[in-house]
Amino acid sequence: LKFLSFSIIREEKGVLKGNTEKEETVFVITEGKCSFYIEKNLIGVMKRKNVFEEPPCAVYLPPFFEYTIEFEKKTEICVVGCPGRGTGKPKFLNSKEIKFRRVGEETYFRNITDIIPESFQAEKIILGETINDPGNWSSYPPHKHDQDNPPLEIALEELYFFKITPPTGFGVIRIFDESQDNLFLIKNNELVTIPKGYHPVSVVPKHQIYYLWALAGEKRELKPKVHPDFNF
């Protein structure tokens, strides 16, 4: 990918210190509890049982910010970055101020949580979470956003980080366009990058699939194009 970076912090207890360097960075907790400090000041306490039972909280930091994370228990944090100039402001996003949406119909119902929506004062990143209903599809109808053709489509690359419950289940993502057509098996804690193409996701019956999604491009605007065969 040209814009997005992704990493995971997993700690039991202790302290982690870091610097966002040249990237605007979003920290999303998936489980555990920790205190998050920027420039030695507490910005907030992040805690979450797991992604399926509790909503997210997150921290947004511009480039070149020092941070310290103090872990109280086994914790996992997803870290998404993108090169930035430093025009944003640090912010702790608690679960109460993050907007939730219920979308879809028939067999593609899902819950979407917009953590860093277009309205948020970020530089390039748009980020959120999706949880499919058991056995359902999402990212449906199949859509893409890999060409600049405003106002119909704006180019954005994307990544998905997946979790499945029960964790022994599996899902499938199809990434396709006129030049490629690939099916990828999704198991718990898989990461899939989507530089181009349509990308619907499904999960087997009696299981739910979660994914953290992040997008970035030259223009920070969601304008996907639905595949003509599925644009009912």
Side-chain angles (χ1 to χ4, degrees):
L1 299 177
K2 180 181 177 182
F3 297 97
L4 291 167
S5 67
F6 180 87
S7 59
I8 295 176
I9 300 169
R10 291 192 178 109
E11 293 285 352
E12 294 279 349
K13 285 189 176 182
V15 176
L16 175 69
K17 295 185 178 182
N19 190 298
T20 55
E21 299 181 348
K22 295 181 179 180
E23 294 189 326
E24 64 169 344
T25 307
V26 185
F27 301 80
V28 181
I29 190 169
T30 57
E31 68 169 308
K33 185 177 181 181
C34 62
S35 298
F36 203 105
Y37 298 81
I38 58 170
E39 313 295 348
K40 299 182 179 180
N41 297 313
L42 178 67
I43 190 173
V45 175
M46 303 172 73
K47 58 181 179 178
R48 194 175 194 184
K49 186 175 181 181
N50 61 61
V51 299
F52 295 100
E53 296 184 67
E54 290 188 341
C57 60
V59 173
Y60 172 86
L61 294 183
F64 304 110
F65 265 76
E66 291 184 357
Y67 61 88
T68 301
I69 307 174
E70 293 183 354
F71 299 93
E72 297 186 26
K73 58 192 294 188
K74 181 182 177 182
T75 300
E76 180 183 84
I77 300 172
C78 293
V79 185
V80 179
C82 180
R85 295 171 297 166
T87 58
K89 295 181 179 179
K91 184 170 177 58
F92 177 78
L93 296 140
N94 64 54
S95 57
K96 293 181 180 179
E97 62 183 310
I98 295 174
K99 293 185 178 180
F100 162 88
R101 293 183 283 139
R102 175 78 171 162
V103 301
E105 57 183 273
E106 296 177 339
T107 55
Y108 55 102
F109 280 113
R110 66 270 198 194
N111 299 325
I112 297 176
T113 308
D114 295 301
I115 301 172
I116 306 291
E118 289 179 84
S119 59
F120 186 90
Q121 294 300 305
E123 293 189 57
K124 292 190 183 302
I125 292 177
I126 302 171
L127 181 146
E129 297 179 340
T130 295
I131 299 177
N132 290 18
D133 282 13
N136 273 218
W137 288 80
S138 63
S139 292
Y140 191 91
H143 64 271
K144 71 178 186 74
H145 33 72
D146 55 22
Q147 295 183 4
D148 274 318
N149 183 26
L152 301 177
E153 183 180 1
I154 300 294
L156 296 169
E157 64 185 27
E158 189 166 21
L159 61 79
Y160 286 172
F161 173 67
F162 293 96
K163 290 185 179 291
I164 294 175
T165 188
T168 50
F170 67 92
V172 173
I173 182 170
R174 181 188 180 195
I175 302 178
F176 67 101
D177 59 17
E178 293 78 10
S179 63
Q180 66 169 350
D181 197 340
N182 297 300
L183 287 173
F184 295 99
L185 175 67
I186 300 165
K187 293 185 178 180
N188 202 35
N189 294 320
E190 295 276 10
L191 176 70
V192 175
T193 58
I194 309 168
K196 65 174 185 174
Y198 304 93
H199 41 276
V201 173
S202 68
V203 66
V204 291
K206 297 187 178 180
H207 292 73
Q208 284 185 282
I209 197 165
Y210 154 99
Y211 50 99
L212 174 76
W213 45 266
L215 306 101
E218 294 292 352
K219 299 176 183 177
R220 192 169 177 267
E221 185 178 359
L222 279 172
K223 286 287 184 180
K225 177 184 176 182
V226 175
H227 193 287
D229 290 349
F230 302 92
N231 194 7
F232 302 117

